[in-house]
Amino acid sequence: MSKGEETRSAIVGEALSQASRFGLEALSIGGLARRVGMSKSGLFAHFESKEALQLQVLESSVERFVEQVVAPALKEPRGIPRIAAFFERWLAWEHDPMLPGGCVFMQLANELDDRPGPLRDRLVGCQRDWVGALATAARIAVDEGHFRADLDCQQLAYDLYSIMLAYHHFHRLLRDEHAEQRARRAFRTLLDTCRPPATA
């Protein structure tokens, strides 16, 4: 990695940490430059606009999520083990030290949901991809006989996403010390509703 690439990576890393707490709009070229020990003009040379920086932060978030959550889970056996790996790694993602504000996508969803533009479009795209991956994993679990044949796989993806949204809310906002325990219980209950009658 070249010196320029290292610098750019350091800038994006710091910006990602800030975005997880305060959102993308709160990022400022000047404030970020001070935090990474650069001049404002030096940082601006790497990102010619605030939106370019914001998009790079979002892309870095997607890459990090794929690396930490999606790719390792896809190495697990098909069916329930893979879905369980998605869930466990998703929980761990919430505690990534790079994300002091928790899941950056949930932070950005609140910030961008009513703001049309390239940032919202990219966020929507990556989240639809993730929901699609969960639904695909559920269809595979049906094929493997782990889930009942009439399962609505899109509904499972919706329900699993809902568990994680609730976990983020209870853990980050309400500071509920039982948030993870409740999320795990909700996940086990969800799996039980999906199993064939003989194994439920």
Side-chain angles (χ1 to χ4, degrees):
M1 184 182 291
S2 68
K3 179 66 174 177
E5 290 171 332
E6 289 180 359
T7 301
R8 187 180 179 90
S9 178
I11 294 168
V12 171
E14 179 60 33
L16 174 56
S17 292
Q18 291 295 303
S20 79
R21 298 180 64 196
F22 308 116
L24 289 173
E25 194 57 37
L27 294 175
S28 77
I29 298 294
L32 197 54
R34 287 192 298 273
R35 293 185 70 88
V36 298
M38 296 179 65
S39 68
K40 187 175 179 179
S41 60
L43 190 144
F44 193 79
H46 289 276
F47 304 95
E48 296 181 355
S49 69
K50 182 175 179 177
E51 185 175 81
L53 170 62
Q54 292 170 327
L55 280 168
Q56 186 55 54
V57 170
L58 183 50
E59 289 300 335
S60 178
S61 304
V62 173
E63 292 170 6
R64 193 173 182 85
F65 187 82
V66 170
E67 178 183 295
Q68 294 188 13
V69 180
V70 180
L74 288 176
K75 295 178 182 177
E76 295 298 322
R78 292 159 55 94
I80 287 178
R82 185 171 297 173
I83 292 174
F86 277 141
F87 175 74
E88 290 295 335
R89 290 185 173 277
W90 204 356
L91 278 178
W93 164 258
E94 176 76 15
H95 300 283
D96 184 342
M98 191 81 164
L99 306 172
C103 179
V104 67
F105 301 117
M106 295 190 186
Q107 172 70 258
L108 300 186
N110 291 329
E111 181 180 13
L112 300 174
D113 57 356
D114 293 317
R115 289 176 50 195
L119 287 169
R120 184 185 186 281
D121 291 345
R122 183 65 184 104
L123 179 63
V124 168
C126 74
Q127 293 303 283
R128 283 179 174 161
D129 288 346
W130 175 226
V131 172
L134 295 175
T136 297
R139 282 191 288 273
I140 292 172
V142 171
D143 293 341
E144 294 293 317
H146 296 179
F147 288 164
R148 65 180 192 273
D150 65 345
L151 180 69
D152 183 339
C153 296
Q154 286 296 141
Q155 185 65 45
L156 179 139
Y158 181 96
D159 292 343
L160 181 50
Y161 206 111
S162 299
I163 290 170
M164 291 308 299
L165 285 172
Y167 170 67
H168 183 87
H169 183 81
F170 277 81
H171 174 64
R172 303 297 311 181
L173 179 63
L174 302 182
R175 297 291 193 262
D176 183 348
E177 63 182 12
H178 302 297
E180 184 171 330
Q181 177 185 348
R182 297 187 193 284
R184 291 182 181 281
R185 185 182 304 159
F187 178 65
R188 290 194 299 270
T189 299
L190 176 61
L191 290 184
D192 286 344
T193 67
C194 298
R195 299 178 195 272
T199 61

